[in-house]
Structures are given as structure tokens and as C-alpha cells.
């Protein structure tokens, strides 16, 4: 993968993350969804086999919807607005899982064969992202210590699962 593509992948995923979080914090959760859709569209336009990447994005969306809803249902997190159904994760938060999926076969590709490092990335990076979202006003931790522990544990398990799926749904393979 050429360096400019890697850099663009990182930059666009970060822009979409900030856009989604800031929009949600300001009561405009659908703007974040639009930002993520733009990143996913850009990603798919560059894939050699877009259908494979669509499979990975769809899997990440499904996993994200279940995991985030479990966090809400368990009373760890509260989101204001953006949920299609009461008691479920907001659409903008689930969309961020699609955003993350766009990095798996591009900028984070090296972690596909390093599942322990992927688990560590999930266990440390995800709680930091959620804390960032909380500080920006997009999410509230109802039980902070328990929420961080649940997020770390969930992402430590789910990140390697997504990297394993990325091997199967690799639309950038040569």
C-alpha cells in the first residue's frame, strides 16, 4: 500500500471520528453518520475488491451494534440522541465501527498477523477513545470504572476478531 494511501486512511478515519463525536455532542448525530459514510465510500472506491470490504464493514457494524447496545443495556454508558430504538446504541456510535473497519486492511494491516498486539490496541485504545468522547460531551459513563473495564475487555476480544475477519474480507489484497 503506497504511503499516501496509508496517511489518507489514518487522516480520514480520524476526521470522521472527531466529526461524529463532536456532531453528537452538539445534538447533530446524523452529521457524524454522513462523515463516516463519506469515509467508507472513499475507502470502497480505492479497494481492488469492494465487495469484500463491504462484507467487513457490515460485520463491524453488526458487532458494533450488539456491543454498544450491551454497554447501554448494562448501564455503563448513556448517549443522548441518535438511537433508532430506546435502549440501543446510537447510529453514529455504530457507524464508528464501520469507520474503524476501513483501517483494518489499510493503515492497521500489519496487526492482522499480530493478534496479541491487536488485543492490546483494543484494550488500551478503545477506552481512551471513549474517554475522549466523554470529555467532548458525546457519551456519559454511568459507572466509570466498570464502563472502562467493560470497554477494555470487549475491545480486547473483538479487535482480534475483526482482524481475523479482515483477512477473509480483504478487498486490498494483490
Amino acid at each position: 500500500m503506497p504511503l499516501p494511501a496509508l496517511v489518507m486512511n489514518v487522516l480520514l478515519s480520524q476526521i470522521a471520528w472527531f466529526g461524529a463525536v463532536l456532531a453528537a455532542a452538539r445534538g447533530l448525530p446524523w452529521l457524524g453518520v454522513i462523515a463516516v459514510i463519506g469515509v467508507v465510500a472513499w475507502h470502497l472506491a480505492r479497494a481492488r475488491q469492494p465487495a469484500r470490504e463491504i462484507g467487513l464493514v457490515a460485520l463491524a457494524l453488526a458487532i458494533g451494534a450488539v456491543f454498544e447496545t450491551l454497554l447501554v443495556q448494562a448501564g455503563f454508558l448513556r448517549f443522548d440522541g441518535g438511537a433508532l430504538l430506546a435502549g440501543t446504541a446510537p447510529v453514529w456510535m455504530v457507524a464508528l465501527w464501520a469507520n474503524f473497519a476501513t483501517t483494518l486492511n489499510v493503515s492497521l494491516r500489519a496487526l492482522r498477523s499480530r493478534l496479541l498486539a491487536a488485543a492490546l490496541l483494543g484494550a488500551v485504545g478503545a477506552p481512551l477513545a471513549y474517554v475522549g468522547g466523554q470529555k467532548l460531551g458525546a457519551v456519559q459513563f454511568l459507572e466509570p470504572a466498570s464502563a472502562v473495564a467493560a470497554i477494555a475487555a470487549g475491545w480486547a476480544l473483538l479487535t482480534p476478531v475483526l482482524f481475523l475477519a479482515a483477512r477473509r474480507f480483504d478487498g486490498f489484497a494483490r
Side-chain angles (χ1 to χ4, degrees):
M1 182 78 42
L3 187 59
L6 293 174
V7 171
M8 285 301 294
N9 180 255
V10 171
L11 287 175
L12 289 175
S13 68
Q14 290 302 302
I15 289 167
W17 184 89
F18 276 107
V21 171
L22 290 172
R26 285 161 180 68
L28 302 167
W30 298 104
L31 286 179
V33 175
I34 292 168
V36 171
I37 289 170
V39 169
V40 170
W42 181 86
H43 175 75
L44 295 175
R46 276 138 191 84
R48 294 178 191 275
Q49 299 175 336
R52 295 183 130 216
E53 291 295 318
I54 289 170
L56 182 58
V57 168
L59 178 63
L61 285 168
I63 289 171
V66 170
F67 181 69
E68 299 299 334
T69 297
L70 287 173
L71 291 173
V72 170
Q73 290 290 316
F76 294 129
L77 302 177
R78 186 172 79 214
F79 299 95
D80 294 327
L84 295 177
L85 299 169
T88 64
V91 175
W92 69 267
M93 187 66 188
V94 175
L96 289 178
W97 285 74
N99 188 54
F100 180 63
T102 67
T103 67
L104 299 175
N105 285 321
V106 184
S107 57
L108 296 178
R109 185 178 195 86
L111 290 177
R112 293 185 337 163
S113 61
R114 296 177 177 94
L115 297 182
L116 186 58
L120 185 60
L121 170 72
V124 175
L128 291 173
Y130 284 72
V131 168
Q134 185 254 345
K135 288 185 182 293
L136 292 170
V139 60
Q140 293 177 334
F141 287 16
L142 302 177
E143 300 275 341
S146 298
V148 169
I151 292 164
W155 276 83
L157 294 172
L158 295 173
T159 304
V161 168
L162 287 171
F163 276 108
L164 286 170
R167 292 180 193 173
R168 174 146 177 12
F169 297 105
D170 185 354
F172 288 86
R174 293 186 186 251

